[in-house]
Structures are given as structure tokens and as C-alpha cells.
Amino acid sequence: MAKTTEVILALDVPTQQDALAFLERTRGELTWVKIGLQLFTRHGPDIVKAVADMGYKIFLDLKLHDIPNTVSSAVKSLKGLPVELLTLHTVGGAEMMRWAVEAAKETNPDLKLLGVTVLTSMDDAQLRETGVPTGAPEQVERLARLGQASGLPGFVCSPLELPSLRKILGDDSLLVTPGVRPAGADLDEQKRVMTPRQAAQAGASHIVVGRPILKAPDPAQAVRAIAQELRDA
Ligand code: C5P
């Protein structure tokens, strides 16, 4: 892949105060920050504006899933907010995704929608309970094809799904991958991980890294080391 894989910090901290204090320590080293449900539910658009005002690009991980009108209205409600990546569930269906893509175009030319396929917390038994008879890999591929056909420019996927999705979706699709751990880092509860280099080589356009940066004694240095590994991949 010609483009260097980019690092996104998963800003999984409880409050805006914690978030902004932490981001002072990585300013200038890090481009992307993922704001998830924990911070957004508490602070709403204010946290997005505050982080963007520090110069970071925003990945808003809300995993939208509702009827097409509600999802597209939610996307339109982001108008004026500097969000560049936003997640939604592909299992919401083609119509929901198409409406969301149209809404994104109207809302913000920089906004790209990322599809979530099968949550990695779901195993095959749990999928069967929800009426999906095939295993997770097949369902991931089916939903990714549907998402791409519905106009989604990218997907969130596990490191293990990268090779097959890159092959199916082609070079232009964004593939954003959590579950990444630098060699020797604590795995926390992540089970099937790749290193930044492996994820880049397997086709990730972006990697999402939380605790290895959040818990590092020198977070700026941790970001620099990951970025270097990605450039060398
Ligand atoms: O701290 P860590 O690097 O494990 O954080 C990974 C981030 O990616 C968290 O925000 C987590 O919610 C998210 N994520 C994940 N696995 C998935 C989907 C999202 O770890 N399958």
C-alpha cells in the first residue's frame, strides 16, 4: 500500500477534563482522536469541538443503527461539527446506509462513514441466537460487500479480517482496525492482536490504539514509536 497507515488514539477516558489534559501531552505528535460513546454521551458536541480546537481530527464512534430517516437525521445534526469519520452499523441495511451517505454529503464534504460489520464481542453461537446461521467471517464479508455497494467508503474491522476485506473491497476502501498492540505491550483484554507493522502490511489504512498510548509513561513517545513502525512497514 503506497499510503502510510495512520494512528488514531481511542480516547477512552471518563471526562472532558481528563481528555483535554491527556491530549496536551500528545499535541504535535498525533493527528487523529476517536471519541466514543463514553465521552459523547457525557459531553456531547462540546467535547468534539474542544478536541478539534486543539488541532486534532475527529473520528466519532457512535455506531448508529436505526431506521433510515433517524440515522440520516442524526448525520445531518452533525452539521458544523468538525467530524471526519463516523461509524454506523451495516446490519441496519442498504437503505439506511444509502440515506446516511447522502446525508453525509449534504452535511460536511470531509465526513466519511465507516461501517461496522460483526462486533468482535459476538461469537458464532451468539450470532446464531440472533438469527445469523453462518459464522462470523462469512457475515463480515457479506455486510462489507453490502456496505460498499451502499456507498460506504470504509469499514471498521478486526486485524484478522484485514486480508480478506482488503481483497474483497479493493485498495481504495478505508479499513480502520482496533486490536493493535506494539510488540511487548500489555494485551489488556484484547485476544487476537496484530502489531502496528503487521496491521499495516495486512492492509489497514488506520489503526486504533487506546491503552498502549493512554497508559504509557510518555504518551508522545509511544505515538512516535508506533508512527515510526508504520512508516517502516
Ligand atoms: O485500549 P485499546 O487499544 O484496546 O482500545 C481499542 C479501542 O477500539 C476501544 O475504543 C475499543 O472500544 C475499540 N474497539 C475494539 N474492538 C472492536 C471494536 C472497537 O477494541 N472490535
Side-chain angles (χ1 to χ4, degrees):
M1 209 109 326
K3 268 192 96 193
T4 302
T5 303
E6 296 191 76
V7 187
I8 302 175
L9 170 67
L11 190 57
D12 296 327
V13 297
T15 70
Q16 180 155 332
Q17 203 184 4
D18 298 324
L20 301 186
F22 185 83
L23 292 175
E24 283 297 344
R25 303 175 69 193
T26 50
R27 227 201 253 254
E29 301 294 342
L30 182 72
T31 307
W32 283 97
V33 169
K34 177 170 90 76
I35 295 175
L37 286 172
Q38 183 181 14
L39 278 177
F40 197 76
T41 306
R42 185 150 179 175
H43 298 288
D46 284 351
I47 180 83
V48 173
K49 285 187 211 136
V51 173
D53 282 348
M54 293 179 80
Y56 293 99
K57 291 187 182 189
I58 308 294
F59 169 10
L60 188 57
D61 189 14
L62 299 184
K63 296 191 179 70
L64 301 174
H65 180 187
D66 209 313
I67 60 171
N69 186 56
T70 302
V71 169
S72 74
S73 302
V75 173
K76 287 177 192 167
S77 292
L78 292 176
K79 198 168 178 67
L81 269 192
V83 175
E84 296 192 37
L85 293 171
L86 173 73
T87 46
L88 78 177
H89 272 286
T90 52
V91 79
E95 192 177 6
M96 186 202 82
M97 291 187 273
R98 282 198 304 268
W99 284 41
V101 169
E102 282 310 309
K105 280 186 200 147
E106 277 178 42
T107 305
N108 171 355
D110 296 326
L111 176 60
K112 294 197 172 73
L113 299 182
L114 299 176
V116 173
T117 59
V118 178
L119 294 171
T120 49
S121 50
M122 299 285 282
D123 57 18
D124 288 356
Q126 285 193 70
L127 274 178
R128 269 196 304 280
E129 281 172 356
T130 64
V132 178
T134 55
E138 212 174 316
Q139 178 71 348
V140 167
E141 290 180 15
R142 176 186 295 116
L143 290 171
R145 286 183 208 274
L146 183 68
Q148 190 176 48
S150 307
L152 295 189
F155 298 86
V156 178
C157 69
S158 85
L160 296 186
E161 292 156 7
L162 279 171
S164 65
L165 289 187
R166 183 52 78 202
K167 200 160 144 213
I168 291 170
L169 301 172
D171 285 346
D172 292 340
S173 190
L174 300 176
L175 287 178
V176 178
T177 307
V180 174
R181 288 291 179 271
D186 193 341
L187 297 191
D188 303 297
E189 86 285 32
Q190 298 278 13
K191 292 191 179 57
R192 290 162 305 188
V193 299
M194 280 190 186
T195 65
R197 185 193 314 270
Q198 288 167 332
Q201 287 171 346
S205 60
H206 301 72
I207 58 171
V208 177
V209 182
R211 286 160 290 181
I213 298 173
L214 294 171
K215 293 196 308 198
D218 181 349
Q221 171 54 28
V223 174
R224 275 197 295 276
I226 293 170
Q228 184 62 44
E229 197 178 323
L230 293 171
R231 278 195 296 276
D232 293 344

